[in-house]
Amino acid sequence: MQYHQVVKGRFLRRPNRFIAHVETEDGLQICHVKNTGRCRELLVPGAAVYLEKAANSARKTAYDLIAVEKGALLINMDAQAPNRVFQEWAAQGHFLPDLKSIQPEYHYGESRLDFALTTEAGLHLVEVKGVTLEENGVVRFPDAPTERGVKHIHELQRAVREGMGAPLFFVIQMHGVDRFSPNDATHPAFGAALREAAAWGVQVYAYDCLVTPDSLTIHQPVPVVL
């Protein structure tokens, strides 16, 4: 996945979920934050960040904030990126080798799941989650309570009971981490739902990514510890 017209800046402040003030060589930029999560451990004053120039010149914000440096890690924090990069990666046959089709935003039950993948074996409903929260080599999801995420897990569990494949795929938007675990401290219900679903046969995957200021590529699996 590629970005275009990327510039580096210094994060100053985030007055609300959608806006960040960033200092660049060309002066102060009012940027759109492509992640409505808390990201408190990422967006700290003085942090080096990367901005992509918006294609629409008439927009109120000329740039999107897409990545941030956290110590030695470069973390992509674009909330739209995990689905895009997963679809590119899966379409190349890296996830299910006998893939016949990919349908985004598939309605199932009372939810809209991210993808329906069709193979010779049948239908696989896939939910994709992006992970940006890291501490001492451990990455966790979610970084804030997500009832919607719990609902999606229940739908995947139902799909397994109905004989479908139902993977839950965590895209870790950084490289060089040790393992993935649910964030029980932030949302115990999510972790409980994930463990129950895994026991029923929902396949839980976590893959890290190679990240540059202007690209994101799914790289390799990371151990999942439930």
Side-chain angles (χ1 to χ4, degrees):
M1 190 186 117
Q2 198 73 37
Y3 294 100
H4 304 282
Q5 293 185 274
V6 174
V7 300
K8 188 174 184 178
R10 183 172 66 89
F11 176 78
L12 300 177
R13 64 189 68 87
R14 187 183 187 183
N16 60 53
R17 290 191 303 161
F18 306 101
I19 296 295
H21 295 178
V22 177
E23 183 180 25
T24 69
E25 288 185 351
D26 295 328
L28 177 66
Q29 307 296 335
I30 309 301
C31 309
H32 171 60
V33 180
K34 298 189 76 174
N35 190 320
T36 58
R38 294 174 179 171
C39 304
R40 292 171 181 165
E41 77 289 352
L42 300 178
L43 296 179
V44 297
V49 295
Y50 294 89
L51 315 175
E52 180 185 39
K53 191 169 181 61
N56 181 1
S57 60
R59 255 181 40 169
K60 291 183 179 179
T61 51
Y63 289 93
D64 292 314
L65 196 160
I66 56 173
V68 58
E69 293 180 8
K70 181 191 173 196
L73 294 174
L74 177 58
I75 301 175
N76 178 291
M77 53 176 292
D78 177 357
Q80 298 173 8
N83 282 32
R84 289 175 57 194
V85 76
F86 174 83
Q87 184 168 1
E88 289 180 4
W89 182 76
Q92 294 167 0
H94 297 304
F95 188 48
L96 299 174
D98 58 344
L99 181 68
K100 296 173 67 175
S101 68
I102 302 177
Q103 180 181 339
E105 299 188 356
Y106 185 82
H107 287 270
Y108 175 75
E110 298 181 358
S111 296
R112 185 176 61 185
L113 299 176
D114 288 322
F115 296 100
L117 276 59
T118 305
T119 69
E120 295 291 344
L123 197 63
H124 303 258
L125 304 185
V126 184
E127 184 65 15
V128 176
K129 304 293 185 187
V131 183
T132 61
L133 180 63
E134 180 274 342
E135 185 177 8
N136 298 322
V138 180
V139 288
R140 302 184 190 277
F141 184 93
D143 72 347
T146 170
E147 295 301 332
R148 182 169 176 267
V150 172
K151 181 181 177 182
H152 287 159
I153 292 175
H154 290 158
E155 296 287 22
L156 293 177
Q157 185 173 324
R158 174 186 166 191
V160 167
R161 292 199 300 267
E162 294 181 352
M164 288 178 272
L168 180 56
F169 196 98
F170 291 95
V171 175
I172 300 166
Q173 293 169 255
M174 66 196 85
H175 174 62
V177 300
D178 298 327
R179 67 182 185 275
F180 166 85
S181 290
N183 192 354
D184 293 305
T186 294
H187 196 182
F190 183 90
L194 184 59
R195 294 181 185 95
E196 179 183 335
W200 272 91
V202 171
Q203 297 166 298
V204 182
Y205 297 90
Y207 273 67
D208 73 359
C209 291
L210 299 178
V211 184
T212 72
D214 64 356
S215 69
L216 184 71
T217 308
I218 291 179
H219 183 225
Q220 63 185 9
V222 168
V224 174
V225 179
L226 300 180

